[in-house]
């Protein structure tokens, strides 16, 4: 029997997990990673320091036996803790029970754990400081540039999967061949990471088990807990215009702005000004493309195929789900990569498009959260409907985060639910005024029972 | 006073016309064109052999005094001549009078005439066989590869405009800098050029003054007249699937298919089979991007900024209108290119997006034209409404083709008009059944008076 070999480009979260799935199927996997080995060299973990792991991601980790280990280094967040401008707090739980939580994990720790697991298989090799500079889609050869020696060589397994992230080199090459649909679109907002350090003895200075949000209509600050007692904060903020990264260009302006808008956070951020001017301002992009594969020689997976904005906390979870679906296709078709890639992209494309749109939508929800009484009322109605009709009405956030139904179904049911909520809330200002008979009628009429 | 100099990349239709506009404003213009000089070397004229020139394009040509010369080598087309499968003909005029016609022109002849005009100015130089391989957006330098000598050199004017078409090298470079929104999307259909030669003595073997259409639901054939009595035919056809370019893979299949579907055309196409297999199958793409400019150093114009599908016959007309708008901005801001580019793209982007969407829509209209009685009824109602309410109701086709109102207005008014037509036609099968009082009420209510 011939040796089944495959090349992955990129040993980030998606690449490392995919390598484990493929190794378990008996494949020899060579991963070429452009960065140094993060377990022996101190480097930035990539796009953002921490991530929200939820059911889809956990399920994918469970498939390779990694879920329990990761949960040990994760912090459960039970809901959103909303910080109003004058400092008032309002806790909004994510789910209806204690198991409906999301987990703050460190991108670096997670990635290192998965690289360790991957390299635990003899069949998996990770080559660091190796940048892919081109793909021959006819032969499946990859051109590899060695960042340390400056030499270029060719490697070949016949099949290459690009797990090389939102700026994928493989996808870039696919654009040069005909009839490749592609879009990249930027939000007007960018982001900057800031920090709330731990208190004495690693004490959490704000609620540990929550995702903190300071929503301010056109922008927002969020904070996620880290194991050492610190919080990683992210300011999502317009790039240009009146109140923007471009206009906050002096220490005094930044100080005054934060004092006014994030009054309760400022005393906890001793390095605010330094961080603001030394940390990069990053942009927020959605990438969609199709097809994801070229014959049996190449395909894309994870951010390389579908970079999304971070507002639903699903980027990583979605990429991990890609691995599960691809693995199921491998289960059906062995090493017939043309069939595997075709079915995988047919199953996934509609869903990754859906989460991309959901993620953009959720930005507007998050930053407007406390400001709009109509929105708060709808959230209250939603909560009641979920309790009354658990087999039909599941809030959009829960469908995405605590269920594994296809994202496309979550999107379409979410839209129907929105119309129901709008109809029930119309002209009302209090949840006690809602006509629950009408609600029952609408829910039964418009929402199929969930299987 | 310092010399005002600018570089254009590409001496196609948009580049040649823009050069003339800029020369008239006193600029020195250097055009780098990757192809040989088409006036001395026999080369393909580019994407398609003939084009439909209409009011917007004529107006732009008039601005440089070229309209009358071009009309001499153009053939007026007064309407669509629809060829039914069994050979029946049905003529649908484009407009309500003799001046509402469009013109079939040869891309090559038009381009050559405009190059001649451009080079008539001492200030304009066209360099052929010079391919732009990169732009430095900080300095405005362009890297130029000489196709004949193989040498690379740098040229600099401080400002470069990419008029280098749908596969623009300048736009490609813009994608590499941050926050550039971009999309390319392909239709499932491609196209192939075929031919109906002239009869004896240059006789037109089918109606000369019409755009011929053989609409067949999922595909269509069209034919435009040439000065020598021939017609250039274009088959718009699915790329893949049951009936497609991929499936018509033998001479017998092509022959049988054409005999069945285009019965009246086949006897006029003696080289059908040779043409079918020797002419390329081309794809149909829409490109949108934003922003179009980088500081004062570079901008895009024409297909480079907004490639559209050909179904509204507006690709060239739209690019020519770009030149007029850019020229007006030059009129306002002299050589302050940052201001010129900003205003030009703000004025144009909304309109080029609109024509891109209108062009895709029109494909479905054209190929379904004779097949759907509901559509035919709406066209008849439309015709009456136009006569009854000429200052409010102008058919979408006329707004785009015979008026110079912004494309975005044509798109939005077109949508309103569609809802009016649908409401009037609902449940009706004949134009005599229409409630004209209701029509008047709807038109007055929903459509602002045109200025």
């Amino acid at each position: 029997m011939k040796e089944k070999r495959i090349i992955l480009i990129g040993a980030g979260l998606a690449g490392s997990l995919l390598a484990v799935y493929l190794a378990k199927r008996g494949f020899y996997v060579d991963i070429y990673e452009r960065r140094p080995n993060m377990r022996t060299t101190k480097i930035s973990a990539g796009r953002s320091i921490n991530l929200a792991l939820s059911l889809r991601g956990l399920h994918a980790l469970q498939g390779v036996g990694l879920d329990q280990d990761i949960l040990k280094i994760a912090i459960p967040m039970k809901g959103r803790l909303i910080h109003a401008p004058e400092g008032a707090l309002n806790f909004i739980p994510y789910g209806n029970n204690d198991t409906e939580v999301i987990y703050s994990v460190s991108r670096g720790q997670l990635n290192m754990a998965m690289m360790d697991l991957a390299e635990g298989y003899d069949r998996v090799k990770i080559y660091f400081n190796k940048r892919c500079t081109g793909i021959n889609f006819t032969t499946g050869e990859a051109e590899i540039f060695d960042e340390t020696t400056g030499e270029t060589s060719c490697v070949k397994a016949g099949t290459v999967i690009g797990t090389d992230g939102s700026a994928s080199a493989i996808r870039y090459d696919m654009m040069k061949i005909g009839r490749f649909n592609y879009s990249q679109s930027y939000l007007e907002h960018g982001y900057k990471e800031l920090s709330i350090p731990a208190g004495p003895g690693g004490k959490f200075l704000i609620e540990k088990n929550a995702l903190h949000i300071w929503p301010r209509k056109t922008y927002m600050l969020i904070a996620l807990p880290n194991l050492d007692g610190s919080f990683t904060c992210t300011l999502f903020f317009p790039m240009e215009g009146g109140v923007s990264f471009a206009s906050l260009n002096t220490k005094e302006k930044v100080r005054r702005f934060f004092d006014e808008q994030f009054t309760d956070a400022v005393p906890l951020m001793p390095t605010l000004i330094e961080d603001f001017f030394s940390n990069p301002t990053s942009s927020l992009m959605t990438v969609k493309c199709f097809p994801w594969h070229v014959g049996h020689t190449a395909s894309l997976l994870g951010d390389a195929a579908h970079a999304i904005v971070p507002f639903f906390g699903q980027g990583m979870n979605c990429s991990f789900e890609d691995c599960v679906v691809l693995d199921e296709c491998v289960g059906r078709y062995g090493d017939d990569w043309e069939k595997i890639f075709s079915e995988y992209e047919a199953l996934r494309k509609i869903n990754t498009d859906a989460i991309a749109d959901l993620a953009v939508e959720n930005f507007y929800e998050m930053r407007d959260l406390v400001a709009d009484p109509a929105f708060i009322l709808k959230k209250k109605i939603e909560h009641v409907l979920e309790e009354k009709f658990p087999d039909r009405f599941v809030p959009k956030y829960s469908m995405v985060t605590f269920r594994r139904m296809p994202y496309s179904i979550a999107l379409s049911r979410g839209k129907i639910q929105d119309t129901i909520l709008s109809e029930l809330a119309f002209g009302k200002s209090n949840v006690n005024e809602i006509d629950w008979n009408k609600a029952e009628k609408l829910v039964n009429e418009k929402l199929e029972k969930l299987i």
Side-chain angles (χ1 to χ4, degrees), chain A residues 22 61 78 84 106 123 131 135 159 165 171 176 179 218 247 251 258 281 284 310 313 336 338 346 365 387:
Chain A
L22 292 172
L61 291 174
K78 296 174 181 173
S106 145
R123 286 189 287 271
R131 180 194 294 271
I135 295 284
T159 300
R171 191 187 66 224
K176 295 176 194 160
R179 292 176 56 72
T218 62
S247 74
K251 290 180 182 179
F258 269 75
T281 304
L284 294 161
D336 184 342
E338 167 105 52
E365 258 192 57
E387 292 207 325

Side-chain angles (χ1 to χ4, degrees), chain A residues 38-59:
Chain A
M38 61 166 71
R39 292 162 300 182
T40 54
T41 314
K42 195 171 158 52
I43 55 165
S44 148
R47 289 202 305 166
S48 63
I49 298 173
N50 50 15
L51 299 162
L53 179 64
S54 55
L55 182 67
R56 293 169 201 263
L58 277 169
H59 174 258

Side-chain angles (χ1 to χ4, degrees), chain A residues 10 55 114 160 177 198 223 241 259 283 322 343 367 387 411 423:
Chain A
L55 182 67
M114 293 202 311
V160 181
I177 55 180
D259 280 345
S283 54
D322 282 357
E343 185 159 316
R367 64 180 203 185
E387 292 207 325
L411 178 65
E423 199 168 334

Side-chain angles (χ1 to χ4, degrees), chain A residues 315-331:
Chain A
M316 169 185 65
N317 292 288
C318 175
S319 296
F320 283 6
E321 205 172 51
D322 282 357
C323 296
V324 174
V325 173
L326 187 78
D327 176 66
E328 288 166 358
C329 295
V330 172

Side-chain angles (χ1 to χ4, degrees), chain A residues 322-373:
Chain A
D322 282 357
C323 296
V324 174
V325 173
L326 187 78
D327 176 66
E328 288 166 358
C329 295
V330 172
R332 282 195 281 282
Y333 302 116
D335 63 350
D336 184 342
W337 284 106
E338 167 105 52
K339 271 196 185 157
I340 293 166
F341 290 151
S342 295
E343 185 159 316
Y344 146 75
E345 76 182 20
L347 290 167
R348 286 306 279 167
K349 171 65 175 166
I350 184 178
N351 291 308
T352 58
D353 278 358
I355 190 61
D357 297 344
L358 284 161
V360 171
E361 268 178 29
N362 214 44
F363 175 45
Y364 300 103
E365 258 192 57
M366 283 177 85
R367 64 180 203 185
D368 296 354
L369 205 60
V370 290
D372 181 3

